[in-house]
Amino acid sequence: MVEDQVEGQVEGQVEGQGIGSWFRLRAVKSAGHPALVFDGTELTYDQLADRVDRIAAGLRARGVARADRVAYLGDNHPSFVEAMFASARLGAVFVALNTRLAPAELAYQLADCGARVLISTPALAERADVAAALAEHPVLRVRVGDGGASAGDGDDGGGFEALLGALPLTDLPDVSLDDPALIVYTSGTTGRPKGAVLTHGNLTWNALNVLVDYDVTSADRALMVSPLFHVASLGMGCLPVLLKGATVLLQERFVAGEALAAVEGLRATSVSGVPTTFQLMAEHPAWADTDLSSLRLMTCGGSPVPDRVREAYEARGLRFSGGYGMTEASPGITLLPPQHTAAHPRSAGLAHFFTRVRIRDTASGELAGTGVAGEVEACGPNTFLEYWGDPAATAAARTPDGWLRTGDVGLLDQDGFLVIADRIKDMIISGGENVYPAEVENALLTIPGVTGAAVIGLADERWGEVPHAVVTLAPGVSLDAEAVVERLSLSLARYKVPRTLDVVDELPRTASGKVPKRLLRQRYERTGAS
């Protein structure tokens, strides 16, 4: 009987519907097929299923239970995938931390979500230790690459390999698609990061959107060069590939020459990244001689692909598939298939298969017609559950009938293609990273003598946008730009720190006292930042 077979897969228990069941189900269906390739080593689906279950057992032996938060800080590594799926097996919630954040920023997120465990890779171990100490609540530390328990305080969980517990893994909770699976922090317009909670269902339905719209096959070999802590890389790249039983070619971090070598040497069929990723590859000396014939899909998000980058790839017979999304949508909202890029070069594409998009006129509050700009709203089983511990922000992110408010201005053409026109939010996208001006402005205002601050994004050929600060000072105060950068780097990730800074006598303000960012951008785009 089918029921008996399913029930017998894990010590007499019925598998839940959560993502934690994926590898156990794939262990037989895709036995012997490589799931992950990293640094010359392959992990097959059956091997990965065994390791995930053992790591889950090890986490449970260290007190991790259903709904506990397990945080991870590290560059791309198989342990990210293993820890995430092991957490899911236990019904715990995985927290993907941005490796570019400063210790104080990480500490806030650890404290906010109440992380029970923090796993880190070797290069980030010291920063993780500092962040855990600053979090001011007990955080069990587990270090990848540390073979055994390290000497340390009572919160030391030792090495990652020491997590490999003894099987069988019994008494698993029944995890449903409605249960929380992942927390990804996204900075808000108020400057306070918010933890977007994505459920098992959100991640599964987003993966199904990708499988349907991109025709992923089990023979695909997807090169992952963007960090997995970004929901775009995880949700649009890694998870759909693993759900399908294909192969993830995982690189620790993006290096243009290494990425080109991996495409040729590992016969990658797809690559995903931000415009800067593809620009650096096209500008690399090895570009002209690299065999790219295995590639059939290149997905690019974050911002539009510059014409010269697009033309460089088209000259090699390759076309991009773009799209639009946000963390709260797991993240896919629309995609632009390669066959439509020529006819719709500035479009963000069509709504994903199981997702819907509409436009609301910001003036009247009514739904907008074809070709009329307004706020983009999205609906579908991939839209998030809530902001962790912040019901007010959660309510503000939803329309009365439950649609996700994106905060972006766009319009739908007669064929249903979405064109993003502007941002209601003042978010800056620099090299694919989101920078919220309010957060940077708050940091600037902690500097003695700074009386006012406004941060805007200015166009940059390599990064798309970079932050530029405009400040006012108290009488008699002077400001050294290098000292500002050094100070801000103690509390902010480097990509958030303004590249340039101007001191002005007075910031322009509206009647309500707000700085009109659009006018400020126009002024500095005309004159250039000093």
Side-chain angles (χ1 to χ4, degrees):
M1 299 290 291
V2 173
E3 291 84 355
D4 295 335
Q5 292 173 344
V6 173
E7 190 171 336
Q9 286 175 354
V10 181
E11 294 298 311
Q13 295 185 84
V14 177
E15 285 280 348
Q17 295 178 306
I19 66 170
S21 65
W22 287 8
F23 287 133
R24 181 50 52 194
L25 296 172
R26 277 277 166 215
V28 176
K29 292 177 182 291
S30 304
H33 190 71
L36 293 177
V37 177
F38 178 79
D39 196 24
T41 300
E42 287 188 356
L43 272 175
T44 62
Y45 276 93
D46 44 321
Q47 291 172 332
L48 199 51
D50 180 70
R51 285 183 60 86
V52 164
D53 278 1
R54 290 182 181 277
I55 291 165
L59 287 172
R60 189 168 59 183
R62 287 158 178 77
V64 176
R66 187 189 188 107
D68 283 341
R69 275 73 66 201
V70 176
Y72 185 99
L73 180 69
D75 293 317
N76 290 350
H77 190 274
S79 58
F80 181 105
V81 176
E82 293 170 342
M84 178 177 179
F85 280 87
S87 300
R89 294 287 278 160
L90 300 175
V93 184
F94 191 69
V95 184
L97 298 172
N98 188 326
T99 63
R100 301 180 69 180
L101 297 183
E105 295 172 298
L106 294 168
Y108 170 80
Q109 295 180 11
L110 291 172
D112 182 66
C113 72
R116 186 180 185 92
V117 176
L118 173 58
I119 301 169
S120 65
T121 51
L124 279 299
E126 183 177 350
R127 195 184 311 176
D129 288 340
V130 174
L134 292 174
E136 298 182 350
H137 79 277
V139 181
L140 186 73
R141 289 284 292 107
V142 174
R143 299 161 183 85
V144 176
D146 186 348
S150 304
D153 59 31
D155 295 333
D156 195 329
F160 186 77
E161 291 296 316
L163 287 178
L164 293 170
L167 294 179
L169 182 62
T170 59
D171 303 320
L172 289 174
D174 182 15
V175 180
S176 78
L177 292 179
D178 294 330
D179 288 327
L182 176 68
I183 296 176
V184 180
Y185 276 85
T186 174
S187 295
T189 54
T190 62
R192 179 184 178 183
K194 302 189 296 293
V197 181
L198 303 177
T199 67
H200 291 261
N202 293 155
L203 299 175
T204 300
W205 281 102
N206 184 82
L208 289 173
N209 270 338
V210 174
L211 296 183
V212 171
D213 288 331
Y214 287 119
D215 292 330
V216 178
T217 75
S218 59
D220 276 323
R221 295 170 64 83
L223 181 62
M224 293 288 109
V225 295
S226 297
L228 292 180
F229 61 74
H230 275 314
V231 73
S233 181
L234 181 64
M236 303 303 290
C238 185
L239 293 183
V241 170
L242 294 175
L243 177 58
K244 186 63 180 178
T247 304
V248 172
L249 309 174
L250 197 58
Q251 289 205 308
E252 187 173 23
R253 62 182 65 87
F254 173 67
V255 179
E258 293 177 5
L260 288 170
V263 170
E264 178 175 307
L266 299 176
R267 305 301 294 165
T269 60
S270 67
V271 181
S272 59
V274 297
T276 304
T277 304
F278 293 103
Q279 177 183 339
L280 293 176
M281 289 171 66
E283 291 176 350
H284 193 274
W287 166 255
D289 296 326
T290 300
D291 180 2
L292 305 178
S293 61
S294 61
L295 284 178
R296 70 173 187 85
L297 179 64
M298 297 185 307
T299 58
C300 186
S303 57
V305 179
D307 288 341
R308 61 189 183 84
V309 177
R310 176 178 54 80
E311 291 165 359
Y313 282 83
E314 288 180 351
R316 301 288 304 269
L318 299 169
R319 284 187 174 179
F320 288 100
S321 179
Y324 165 71
M326 58 192 302
T327 300
E328 292 85 344
S330 308
I333 296 176
T334 68
L335 85 154
L336 182 64
Q339 65 268 29
H340 292 293
T341 54
H344 302 270
R346 298 302 173 205
S347 170
L350 301 164
H352 275 291
F353 198 84
F354 295 108
T355 304
R356 299 293 177 262
V357 172
R358 70 188 185 189
I359 307 296
R360 186 172 298 279
D361 190 309
T362 53
S364 68
E366 301 296 325
L367 293 181
T370 299
V372 178
E375 182 174 8
V376 180
E377 297 176 351
C379 180
N382 55 311
T383 57
F384 82 137
L385 176 67
E386 62 185 354
Y387 291 118
W388 180 265
D390 197 339
T394 302
R398 297 282 188 186
T399 65
D401 58 348
W403 286 56
L404 175 65
R405 299 184 60 190
T406 68
D408 292 317
V409 175
L411 58 87
L412 292 170
D413 68 16
Q414 61 183 6
D415 296 318
F417 285 82
L418 176 67
V419 178
I420 299 295
D422 202 350
R423 299 184 188 120
I424 296 175
K425 301 172 183 176
D426 291 321
M427 184 177 71
I428 300 163
I429 302 179
S430 184
E433 298 280 4
N434 293 347
V435 180
Y436 287 85
E439 183 181 13
V440 185
E441 290 160 0
N442 290 343
L444 283 165
L445 291 171
T446 66
I447 299 174
V450 175
T451 58
V455 174
I456 58 175
L458 295 182
D460 182 83
E461 185 176 352
R462 170 157 290 186
W463 303 111
E465 291 179 302
V466 292
H468 171 71
V470 185
V471 301
T472 57
L473 303 177
V477 173
S478 60
L479 202 61
D480 178 76
E482 291 185 5
V484 171
V485 170
E486 183 177 352
R487 181 185 177 104
L488 293 183
S489 296
L490 297 175
S491 59
L492 296 176
R494 292 288 296 186
Y495 66 86
K496 300 178 183 178
V497 177
R499 299 292 183 90
T500 50
L501 180 145
D502 276 344
V503 177
V504 297
D505 293 333
E506 186 178 6
L507 286 168
R509 295 189 182 274
T510 65
S512 63
K514 296 181 179 179
V515 176
K517 295 291 184 68
R518 184 179 301 179
L519 296 179
L520 206 59
R521 282 194 296 269
Q522 290 173 351
R523 176 191 301 178
Y524 282 94
E525 285 170 354
R526 274 199 311 269
T527 62
S530 62

